[in-house]
Amino acid sequence: MPSSVVYRAFTPAHLPPNAAVIEVGSALLVVGFPLGFHDLLHHMPVVRQAVIASSFGLRFQGAGYFLTEARTHRGTSGGQS
């Protein structure tokens, strides 16, 4: 990459300090390498936009997860087959 590029990894510091501030409809990003597809030159992932689709602070159906709504690429974990 050019020397002027600044590249930083995702860390826990990027997470919100309080899960209660995450509301239904809040924007998020889905980052991945669907079916191995990515920028072969820089080895960067593909990023898609998404939103929180169920209450983040409550366990959906009593399970340990929440729902998202996103138009993802085939091969992204949780994406269409």
Side-chain angles (χ1 to χ4, degrees), residues 12-80:
H14 291 96
L15 298 174
N18 182 355
V21 301
I22 302 173
E23 299 176 6
V24 171
S26 293
L28 57 99
L29 298 175
V30 177
V31 181
F33 299 88
L35 300 176
F37 180 75
H38 64 286
D39 178 342
L40 295 173
L41 178 61
H42 301 107
H43 305 288
M44 300 297 288
V46 175
V47 179
R48 298 298 296 237
Q49 295 179 351
V51 296
I52 301 291
S54 69
S55 184
F56 185 79
L58 298 174
R59 292 176 173 262
F60 187 80
Q61 301 272 2
Y65 56 87
F66 60 96
L67 300 180
T68 61
E69 173 64 29
R71 191 164 176 215
T72 58
H73 292 290
R74 200 163 136 201
T76 301
S77 293
Q80 67 274 16

